[in-house]
Amino acid sequence: MSAWFHTTLSPADLFGLLVQFLVLSLFAIGGAITTAPDMHRYIVDEHHWITDAQFTSSIAIAQAAPGPNVLFVATLGWSVAGPIGAAITLLGTLLPSTLLTLSATRWGARRKDSRFVRAFTTGLTPLTIGLLVATGWLLAAPYATDRAHAIGAIALVAVTVGVMARTKASPMWLVALGAVVGALGWV
Amino acid sequence: MSATPAAPDEPALAQPASPAELFFTFNRLALQGFGGVLAIAQHELVERQRWLTRQQFVEMLALSQVLPGPNVINLALMLGDRFFGWRGALAAMGGMMLVPLAIVLVLTAAYAEFSRIEIVAGALRGMGAVAAGLVIATAFRLMGTLRSNRLGLPLAAAFSVVTFVLIALLRWPLVGVLAGLGSLAIAIAWLRWK
């Protein structure tokens, strides 16, 4: 590990990176992670700024760390071009969606009792709940299909769901439990 | 601000006192969020702070999912904006991002060293499995809101199940599911609204 970012990008490259992430921001419906395949195409396949393995581990680190998963764009940017890379990818990802979200919610809030806005939220609520179960399912899949640890992992997911349904315990205790059980090699 | 009428099991709502309180609340919930913040956000904002009812939370979440951008960040922006306008939106987003960003960058620098340690890798696996369970548990918690959905419980539940099947099992792209199934659900809700 001699250097964290293997290349120094030219200003033109950095500008291209910024534009790429600004555009992707507007397509990130369902979360920034949905645009990861296109980030991979741009950074790894097209420009060879980082390797496939570096790309994957950047995402894994952000998933494991506390905080919103969108921080994976900062670890990607860091791997590509150090601090300036992280600043560029984060700014590019957040700026357009932030402006759009604020203007859309203000528009909606002014009309929140209108038939259209009521129908919009009423119709989308069931999809949101289905989407949440799907997200949990997809997050659990890699653990549940790993033969060496599948039973422990499925049990841990079940315990988590059960405890959350029956108590008001803070999720942090369950995360701590997961860390201990995993460190012992049971998951 | 007029809230949806509170259900009998949901006591009166509270409000953050200042943008600073928003900042620190979002900072605290972000730091508890291993593998994603959504489950913690629901716990902190609804069950603990009572700034939103479950119904309001799920509606805000629905919006944050159809708008581009990270869902929990959109949620933070909407909630902050609702209480304190721009300053609130920036306080909530900043609280969510700043400290976790510093941590994640330090971890990026350290990763190559400690990922080889078996205990660390195991602990990360365990935390990942719990993170998955937390998201599923949050979904279960919010399912209660379907009972008061104007689509009616059977139809609303059917939309949830079809969404799950399309996304989790058939791996359809989200944009298509939202555009197709979402439009259908909105259209039905529109027709039922008199």
Side-chain angles (χ1 to χ4, degrees):
Chain A
M1 43 179 253
S2 50
W4 294 119
F5 36 97
H6 86 138
T7 176
T8 314
L9 269 59
S10 71
D13 283 340
L14 291 174
F15 184 72
L17 188 67
L18 177 64
V19 171
Q20 170 76 9
F21 276 70
L22 283 171
V23 171
L24 281 186
S25 174
L26 292 173
F27 287 94
I29 291 170
I33 196 75
T34 56
T35 57
D38 206 63
M39 294 175 184
H40 184 278
R41 180 191 63 72
Y42 188 80
I43 295 174
V44 180
D45 300 338
E46 210 165 282
H47 290 278
H48 309 288
W49 286 329
I50 58 175
T51 65
D52 205 27
Q54 281 174 306
F55 187 91
T56 307
S57 60
S58 296
I59 293 183
I61 293 167
Q63 297 272 7
N69 289 334
V70 65
L71 290 175
F72 86 89
V73 302
T75 59
L76 269 185
W78 184 282
S79 313
V80 170
I84 182 127
I88 282 178
T89 51
L90 203 54
L91 182 74
T93 300
L94 291 179
L95 191 62
S97 64
T98 295
L99 295 176
L100 189 71
T101 295
L102 282 180
S103 32
T105 43
R106 285 176 176 199
W107 185 90
R110 281 198 299 275
R111 295 164 187 76
K112 76 190 177 66
D113 297 318
S114 76
R115 190 176 171 190
F116 174 73
V117 173
R118 295 308 307 162
F120 192 80
T121 48
T122 298
L124 287 178
T125 296
L127 274 75
T128 297
I129 289 168
L131 198 55
L132 271 182
V133 183
T135 305
W137 178 276
L138 294 175
L139 286 176
Y143 306 104
T145 51
D146 171 6
R147 276 161 192 269
H149 306 287
I151 294 174
I154 293 170
L156 192 52
V157 171
V159 166
T160 303
V161 174
V163 169
M164 289 299 286
R166 290 178 181 279
T167 72
K168 296 221 170 205
S170 166
M172 224 168 49
W173 296 112
L174 289 160
V175 173
L177 173 75
V180 171
V181 169
L184 291 172
W186 294 350
V187 175
Chain B
M1 144 201 6
S2 76
T4 355
D9 61 327
E10 287 173 316
L13 288 179
Q15 280 196 22
S18 63
E21 191 183 351
L22 277 176
F23 181 93
F24 288 113
T25 300
F26 275 92
N27 183 50
R28 191 175 66 225
L29 72 86
L31 289 178
Q32 295 175 57
F34 289 86
V37 178
L38 194 62
I40 318 283
Q42 197 275 337
H43 184 82
E44 287 281 325
L45 301 176
V46 179
E47 317 292 336
R48 188 164 153 178
Q49 302 282 6
R50 302 195 181 285
W51 289 346
L52 298 169
T53 63
R54 287 183 183 181
Q55 180 70 37
Q56 288 171 326
F57 182 86
V58 77
E59 285 179 5
M60 227 180 232
L61 184 61
L63 273 178
S64 75
Q65 280 175 333
V66 288
L67 289 165
N71 299 334
V72 290
I73 302 285
N74 284 348
L75 195 76
L77 289 168
M78 285 180 208
L79 189 88
D81 186 54
R82 165 192 278 234
F83 289 119
F84 299 108
W86 272 101
R87 291 185 311 141
L90 289 181
M93 180 164 84
M96 182 94 101
M97 302 280 297
L98 285 182
V99 179
L101 177 64
I103 293 174
V104 92
L105 291 180
V106 170
L107 285 183
T108 306
Y111 177 73
E113 289 303 309
F114 74 98
S115 69
R116 293 190 208 98
I117 304 170
E118 182 53 35
I119 289 182
V120 174
L124 289 180
R125 269 202 309 276
M127 288 156 68
V130 169
L134 288 177
V135 175
I136 296 172
T138 305
F140 285 169
R141 211 173 247 187
L142 295 174
M143 273 176 200
T145 63
L146 293 184
R147 273 197 295 272
S148 55
N149 193 289
R150 288 289 282 267
L151 292 173
L153 181 59
L155 188 58
F159 272 116
S160 296
V161 170
V162 173
T163 303
F164 170 79
V165 170
L166 292 178
I167 299 281
L169 305 183
L170 303 179
R171 305 285 171 101
W172 282 25
L174 179 65
V175 179
V177 174
L178 287 177
L181 201 62
S183 306
L184 181 65
I186 292 167
I188 296 175
W190 163 270
L191 292 174
R192 294 212 171 167
W193 224 275
K194 288 285 152 57

